[in-house]
Amino acid sequence: MLKRLFTKLLRFVFKLLLLLVALGLLGWGVAELYYRIAWQGPVSTEEEIPVGEAAMTQKIIADAITIVETHKDNTRIMRDAHAKAHGCVRADVSVREDLPENLQHGVFAKPGQQYPAWVRFSNGNAYPQFDSMRDARGMAIKLMNVEGKKLLPSEADAQTQDLVMFNQPLFFVSDVAEYQSNFAAQAEGKKVQAFFPSWDPRTWQFRHLLIGLQTLAPPPESPFSAQYFSIAPFKYGPHNSKYRTVPAPEQCPDYAQPTLNQNLPNFLRSAMYQQLSVDRVPACFAIQVQLQDAEKYMPLEDTSIEWREEDSPFVTVAHLKIEPQDFDTPEQNLFCDNLSFTPWHSIEEHRPLGGINRLRRAVYEAVSVYRHERNGAPRQEPTADTQPLTGDLGPQQPDTNEQGE
Ligand code: HEM
């Protein structure tokens, strides 16, 4: 009797599982079909600025300042996002010698040209936590000796061009309006409403929820083993583009990262330290660009859409090499903390495009100005000659030995 009941129960559970799998596959198929029909070119090659975007931006800045005040480390104000650095390192960027002519634009105009650079690796969270926590990982590059007028009027004569990326190809919202409503819901602790704002199914954002979940991923073995994406689009001379960096081990001596204890809070910093400062082995990346083909579904105003590689492949335009070095010093960590990276540290040829980038223009500047003022630190773009020891020691030291929350 008991055996028969058990067999019946087993059959029922099996059928239920089968039904769920079938429903899942059907849902997947319908979604695939829907997006194949809905996501078709041609798309605009120009920005389309929605009404009310500027007002929403002001609200987001106010919320960002509240966040940095909430998460301050004792008295020191950190970044609103990517607060925890694994380290800032010096790097050399060289434009490909054999770069095709159609890709010779902006900072990549001259094949063989070299730039010194600073690179900051980070976790995405608004406050420092253990590296083993699921999170986005950032890579921000600051090229030096870049000639030409810069886009931010307050820094028009700076000699820098920044590339600001994290390790996912997609962002979890499409535009500024969605960023504002999602952010506001999350700030009130309403995580479900952030993606399902009303009972109307047309407002439900399943796909964006999935992107959000994918973004909060386990850590890479080392900051040097991840790929990093611009996600948002940029000008590339006469073209529109996205960019990314990918590890380029073929440009560097062979190196196998020793197994590190990932339970230690700052193991990603340790991974960088092990490779560059103990084993004295360089790290290499390729900087790659993907041009927009407006006949395909490669929109400028939606950062939740991946530009498919089969529609337009990424092409290497430059190489970035991080030579062995001793980067983990109090002076360099403080220097790193006081740097500001923004996609708007840019020449016109690489102008940031799309709503999320327009939003970033105001927010990055406001948060950077605020945290430098509150930290009593000078806010100035470095030149190639700026050294970590010269003139930028604010009154407080950043705590680089975060123990997590
Ligand atoms: C395409 C999407 C985005 C990417 C790839 C990205 C990436 C990054 C990275 C890597 C950093 C750290 C830079 C550093 O090392 O100093 C950063 C900082 C920051 N991000 Fe983003 N981010 C994106 C979107 C946004 C959005 C939509 C906002 C808010 C509106 C935002 C606000 C900030 C702020 C305030 C900072 C700190 C700026 C500072 O104080 O210097 N980000 N972001």
Side-chain angles (χ1 to χ4, degrees):
M1 166 76 184
L2 210 65
K3 202 173 152 196
R4 251 197 315 172
L5 205 70
F6 183 70
T7 317
K8 265 190 172 174
L9 190 74
L10 217 63
R11 267 199 204 133
F12 174 73
V13 170
F14 181 71
K15 279 184 187 162
L16 194 70
L17 276 178
L18 217 61
L19 186 73
L20 284 176
V21 170
L23 279 176
L25 284 176
L26 186 73
W28 187 266
V30 170
E32 268 290 313
L33 193 71
Y34 170 77
Y35 288 126
R36 273 196 189 277
I37 294 166
W39 289 357
Q40 293 205 14
V43 294
S44 173
T45 55
E46 302 291 330
E47 289 183 281
E48 294 155 311
I49 306 178
V51 183
E53 196 177 88
M56 283 186 262
T57 301
Q58 288 314 310
K59 169 82 181 68
I60 292 168
I61 290 176
D63 289 346
I65 300 293
T66 312
I67 286 185
V68 293
E69 278 294 343
T70 311
H71 295 140
K72 64 176 177 275
D73 174 17
N74 293 321
T75 54
R76 193 170 174 88
I77 303 285
M78 296 176 289
R79 287 162 171 78
D80 163 50
H82 296 264
K84 178 178 179 178
H86 309 309
C88 268
V89 291
R90 294 167 199 273
D92 299 295
V93 171
S94 6
V95 179
R96 236 178 85 186
E97 293 276 3
D98 55 350
L99 189 64
E101 217 164 292
N102 73 321
L103 292 173
Q104 295 178 14
H105 297 291
V107 293
F108 308 105
K110 291 188 200 136
Q113 168 118 24
Q114 306 219 339
Y115 299 95
W118 285 102
V119 186
R120 179 176 182 268
F121 292 94
S122 58
N123 281 346
N125 203 44
Y127 53 84
Q129 51 185 7
F130 276 59
D131 292 343
S132 53
M133 300 284 283
R134 298 180 80 94
D135 201 353
R137 320 288 156 171
M139 179 182 190
I141 305 173
K142 192 176 284 297
L143 301 181
M144 317 292 233
N145 291 342
V146 176
E147 290 170 1
K149 204 165 154 36
K150 307 301 175 312
L151 292 173
L152 293 178
S154 58
E155 288 163 343
D157 298 324
Q159 296 168 28
T160 50
Q161 168 75 47
D162 293 359
L163 308 176
V164 187
M165 300 160 278
F166 68 72
N167 62 339
Q168 292 293 330
L170 302 175
F171 202 47
F172 68 101
V173 295
S174 295
D175 53 25
V176 179
E178 193 186 343
Y179 185 89
Q180 204 230 306
S181 60
N182 186 295
F183 200 73
Q186 298 219 37
E188 288 172 26
K190 297 177 182 163
K191 295 213 157 117
V192 177
Q193 278 98 320
F195 294 94
F196 304 100
S198 73
W199 288 106
D200 180 350
R202 285 170 302 178
T203 65
W204 296 354
Q205 293 292 358
F206 278 111
R207 202 174 59 81
H208 292 181
L209 173 65
L210 279 181
I211 296 172
L213 293 174
Q214 267 165 17
T215 304
L216 298 179
E221 262 185 29
S222 157
F224 301 148
S225 62
Q227 291 190 10
Y228 301 89
F229 301 82
S230 73
I231 305 173
F234 293 80
K235 277 267 163 229
Y236 192 90
H239 311 284
N240 298 326
S241 73
K242 291 190 182 185
Y243 58 80
R244 72 176 181 189
T245 53
V246 295
E250 72 285 356
Q251 301 283 325
C252 266
D254 282 346
Y255 180 68
Q257 172 81 57
T259 310
L260 296 176
N261 180 355
Q262 299 209 351
N263 294 321
L264 292 178
N266 308 316
F267 87 88
L268 289 173
R269 178 178 284 264
S270 306
M272 290 171 58
Y273 182 79
Q274 181 72 38
Q275 179 165 348
L276 299 178
S277 310
V278 179
D279 298 331
R280 312 301 293 184
V281 178
C284 292
F285 284 92
I287 301 177
Q288 302 187 324
V289 161
Q290 182 187 35
L291 300 185
Q292 184 194 37
D293 174 352
E295 291 307 310
K296 303 284 166 44
Y297 195 66
M298 302 174 85
L300 295 182
E301 295 291 346
D302 188 343
T303 39
S304 77
I305 307 279
E306 188 170 6
W307 289 6
R308 281 189 289 245
E309 285 191 60
E310 58 262 38
D311 288 341
S312 173
F314 277 97
V315 180
T316 298
V317 291
H319 287 106
L320 181 146
K321 188 166 188 184
I322 304 169
E323 294 288 358
Q325 57 191 276
D326 300 309
F327 65 93
D328 196 6
T329 65
E331 293 80 13
Q332 193 150 320
N333 289 328
L334 183 64
F335 170 78
C336 182
D337 202 53
N338 286 336
L339 286 179
S340 300
F341 291 87
T342 160
W344 289 86
H345 282 148
S346 176
I347 50 177
E348 178 62 37
E349 287 91 329
H350 300 304
R351 171 180 281 277
L353 299 170
I356 289 298
N357 266 336
R358 291 190 295 274
L359 170 66
R360 291 166 89 195
R361 175 177 184 146
V363 179
Y364 281 54
E365 191 163 18
V367 172
S368 170
V369 166
Y370 185 81
R371 69 183 172 87
H372 281 80
E373 271 175 21
R374 291 277 276 112
N375 293 337
R379 189 173 164 276
Q380 209 172 16
E381 276 302 274
T383 66
D385 297 329
T386 311
Q387 298 299 318
L389 264 176
T390 55
D392 65 333
L393 289 176
Q396 298 115 15
Q397 300 282 321
D399 178 7
T400 56
N401 199 24
E402 296 99 348
Q403 296 305 305
E405 296 279 311

